[in-house]
């Protein structure tokens, strides 16, 4: 069995096992195992990519172009590794709410992991739609299972917006099929460049609307801050690293590999949307006083940075964008998890209910403080290298507005993080907690923190991987041949 | 045939959008149903499923002389889309029902207060 089938089939099958056995410990082990498997397959594929080959497999043995192929080029392998690591961390997290321990929540998480693996590995547009729908259904189920009393409002908004987005995707896929006659990534990428087809551009824009909605771009991001704060910290960390980043992956894949001509045409719109996403996300976060809401809005503004890498569209910008993608997935989820440790101590996620962690919980302080500095882009952490890469690429390409917005957003992110620091860490402990100590941070948070430190101290490693992945995205011939000759 | 499908899908999407902008969530659910149907119609139209013969492998006697085989790939797409649409509709209506039950129990709409922050 080819290794690329494992990250998709394994969680899919185990979801039913988790549901049938319905034991909390088994479910956790299965999710952690699925995460490790995804990371392992991703690493093997990445090693292949760095050596110059793209592993592929034709599902069911059906040959191209009618069969569905799975292909792992640089971008897909990177996504697999990081999301696998993230899934392991969220499954091993110590503080899970009661609803996060039920058999159905583990089954839904496994389905979510299968759909994420499927989305990043598939080389067929209709198969991508199918995995998107699985993602919507699994995540809507997870949202509905949380115990938060305000959750139904958030779930309905999330579900309706994502269902409309998926319908847009199907519509666009139908139109693309009608115009080009094929839905295989290889055939779409192999079409001659420079031939402008307004019909096809229109169909691609319909598909882009769906991807932008999934990626939580302005003005389609409101489902994110409406629904994420109702989740427990572990699930919120998982969602923030998986859902919108798959949307970003599909944006990069469709505009760089499949339809590079359309990228030139929609470039002005992308620039405006990334500026708007960065600003609305960070300004929304500045107005919140609940840590989950603050972090949810920051997720949106970081998506703006990722779109900036795509909007600049040079090789340097895309490789900086890929570095940023890996960095933000790890840092964002780690912030959710460590924030959960602090919230566990205070008993609530509101800023006004906390205080005194600088004195009483030094390890929590170290972990959260450095992660927050990394998110805000303070040197010498990974966020600084990521943003520096994007800013330098932007200046080289002449995008003054994008660069100015990126810098301003970084400053406003620092403001939000300082607000959390000042309430939860700097000021006095509330009297009710004066005699207790906060819990230990836990292995999963330290693992993610270690990865962030690795990227901060040695960014060249990740940068070279990101650059080779970006090169593979721009030079499509290798991808096309690999998929067309899939066995 | 193509024109009829195009007009039909356009009208269905218009109806779907009209329903999805309604205040009552039941209407929104009906709108989702219409949207799913409309996208399936577009799939049929774009796939140009022209032939009349069914896609049966191996039994040549089923096809009458001169009949063209219908394009099987878009038929597969539409089948998948219909089944996925059924799942989505079921989920939306389950959520609408849960919202109904919660509102009757809770009397005040406590959930939207958190949204207004």
């Amino acid at each position: 069995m080819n290794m690329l089938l494992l990250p998709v089939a394994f969680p899919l099958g185990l979801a039913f096992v988790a549901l049938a056995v319905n034991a909390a410990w088994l479910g956790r082990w299965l999710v952690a195992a699925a995460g490790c498997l995804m990371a392992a397959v991703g690493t093997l594929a990445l090693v292949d990519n760095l050596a110059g080959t793209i592993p592929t497999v034709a599902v069911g043995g059906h040959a191209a172009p009618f069969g569905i192929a799975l292909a792992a080029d640089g971008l897909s392998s990177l996504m697999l590794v990081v999301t696998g690591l993230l899934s392991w961390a969220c499954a091993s997290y110590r503080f899970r709410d009661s609803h996060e321990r039920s058999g159905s929540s583990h089954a839904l998480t496994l389905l979510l992991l299968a759909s994420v693996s499927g989305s990043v590995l598939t080389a067929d547009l209709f198969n991508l739609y199918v995995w998107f729908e699985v993602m919507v259904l699994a995540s809507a189920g997870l949202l509905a299972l949380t115990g938060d009393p305000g959750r139904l409002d958030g779930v309905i908004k999330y579900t309706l917006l994502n269902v409309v987005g998926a319908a847009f995707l199907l519509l666009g896929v139908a139109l693309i099929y009608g115009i080009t006659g094929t839905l295989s990534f290889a055939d779409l990428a192999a079409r001659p460049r420079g031939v402008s087809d307004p019909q096809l551009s229109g169909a691609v824009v319909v598909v882009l609307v769906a991807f932008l909605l999934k990626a939580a771009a302005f003005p389609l991001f409101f489902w994110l801050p409406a629904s994420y704060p109702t989740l427990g910290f572990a699930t919120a960390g998982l969602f923030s690293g998986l859902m919108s980043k798959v949307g970003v992956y599909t944006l990069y894949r469709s505009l760089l590999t499949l339809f590079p001509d359309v990228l030139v045409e929609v470039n002005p719109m992308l620039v405006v949307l990334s500026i708007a996403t960065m600003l609305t996300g960070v300004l929304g976060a500045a107005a919140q006083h609940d840590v989950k809401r603050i972090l949810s809005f920051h997720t949106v503004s970081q998506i703006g940075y990722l779109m900036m890498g795509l909007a600049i569209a040079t090789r340097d910008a895309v490789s900086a964008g890929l570095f940023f993608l890996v960095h933000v997935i790890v840092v964002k989820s780690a912030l959710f998890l460590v924030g959960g440790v602090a919230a566990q101590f205070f008993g609530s996620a509101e800023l006004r209910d906390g205080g005194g962690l600088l004195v009483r919980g030094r390890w929590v302080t170290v972990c959260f403080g450095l992660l927050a500095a990394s998110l805000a882009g303070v040197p010498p952490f990974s966020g600084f290298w990521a943003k520096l890469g994007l800013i330098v690429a932007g200046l080289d390409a002449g995008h003054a507005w994008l660069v100015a917005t990126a810098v301003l957003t970084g400053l406003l992110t620092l403001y939000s993080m300082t607000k959390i620091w000042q309430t939860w860490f700097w000021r006095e402990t509330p009297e009710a907690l004066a005699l207790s100590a906060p819990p230990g941070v836990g292995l999963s948070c330290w693992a993610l923190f270690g990865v962030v430190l690795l990227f901060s101290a040695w960014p060249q490693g990740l940068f070279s991987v990101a650059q080779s992945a970006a090169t593979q995205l721009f030079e499509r011939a290798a991808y096309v041949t690999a998929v067309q000759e899939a066995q | 045939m193509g024109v009829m499908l195009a007009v039909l899908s356009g009208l269905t999407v218009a109806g779907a959008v009209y329903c999805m902008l309604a205040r009552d969530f039941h209407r929104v659910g009906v709108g989702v149903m219409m949207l799913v149907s409309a996208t399936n119609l577009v799939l049929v139209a774009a796939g140009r499923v022209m032939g009349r013969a069914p896609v049966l492998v191996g039994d040549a006697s089923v096809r009458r002389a001169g009949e063209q085989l219908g394009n099987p790939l878009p038929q597969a797409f539409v089948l998948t889309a219909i089944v996925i649409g059924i799942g989505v509709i079921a989920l939306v209506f389950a959520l609408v029902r849960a919202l109904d039950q919660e509102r009757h129990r809770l009397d005040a709409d406590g959930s939207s207060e958190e949204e207004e922050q």
Side-chain angles (χ1 to χ4, degrees), chain A residues 20 30 92 187 200 226 239 247 312 327 353-354 380 417:
Chain A
L30 289 179
S92 329
D187 289 350
L200 184 60
F239 270 39
I312 302 174
H327 141 82
D353 289 336
M417 295 292 121

Side-chain angles (χ1 to χ4, degrees), chain A residues 148-154 157 225-226 230 288-289 293 350 352, chain B residues 102-103 106-117:
Chain A
D148 195 18
R151 74 195 184 282
L152 273 182
D153 210 45
K157 286 174 186 163
T230 64
Q288 305 296 328
H289 48 80
R293 285 186 189 278
E350 293 267 345
R352 58 173 169 252
Chain B
E102 188 174 279
R103 291 223 173 122
L106 289 184
D107 213 21
D109 193 355
S111 53
S112 56
E113 280 170 22
E114 283 187 38
E115 273 314 307
E116 249 105 70
Q117 283 174 359

Side-chain angles (χ1 to χ4, degrees), chain A residues 227-246:
Chain A
S227 52
Y228 281 27
T230 64
L231 295 162
F233 275 94
T235 323
L238 189 68
F239 270 39
S240 79
L242 289 183
M243 312 291 299
S244 37
K245 309 310 184 288
V246 170

Side-chain angles (χ1 to χ4, degrees), chain A residues 126 133 156-157 159 164 174 178, chain B residues 20 25 46 48 77 88 95 115:
Chain A
F126 190 78
E133 287 279 25
I156 285 240
K157 286 174 186 163
T159 310
V164 169
Chain B
M20 286 171 74
F25 271 121
R48 296 183 187 90
F77 293 155
V88 163
L95 287 173
E115 273 314 307

Side-chain angles (χ1 to χ4, degrees), chain A residues 197-344:
Chain A
D197 187 358
Q199 258 191 338
L200 184 60
S201 304
V204 172
V205 169
V206 174
V207 164
L208 281 182
V209 168
F211 291 156
L212 287 170
L213 188 147
K214 193 78 200 167
F218 180 91
L220 302 166
F221 68 86
F222 291 100
W223 53 269
L224 204 155
S227 52
Y228 281 27
T230 64
L231 295 162
F233 275 94
T235 323
L238 189 68
F239 270 39
S240 79
L242 289 183
M243 312 291 299
S244 37
K245 309 310 184 288
V246 170
V248 171
Y249 162 82
T250 49
L251 276 176
Y252 273 69
R253 176 69 69 201
S254 58
L255 285 175
L256 288 172
T257 308
L258 301 182
F259 306 110
D261 296 328
V262 180
L263 176 59
V264 176
E265 289 178 39
V266 303
N267 206 308
M269 176 190 84
L270 269 183
V271 171
V272 171
L273 285 182
S274 47
I275 291 178
T277 311
M278 281 193 265
L279 286 179
T280 45
V282 81
L283 290 176
Q288 305 296 328
H289 48 80
D290 171 305
V291 164
K292 274 193 257 190
R293 285 186 189 278
I294 293 178
L295 291 175
S296 308
F297 272 102
H298 276 307
T299 310
V300 174
S301 78
Q302 305 299 311
I303 300 286
Y305 279 100
L306 291 165
M307 289 168 61
M308 173 178 163
L310 194 56
I312 302 174
T314 61
R315 210 165 286 214
D316 289 334
V318 171
S319 53
L322 293 182
F323 183 100
F324 199 98
L325 182 64
V326 175
H327 141 82
V328 83
I329 290 178
V330 180
V331 170
K332 206 73 242 258
S333 321
L335 273 174
F336 266 107
L337 295 182
V338 181
V341 174
Q344 181 79 16

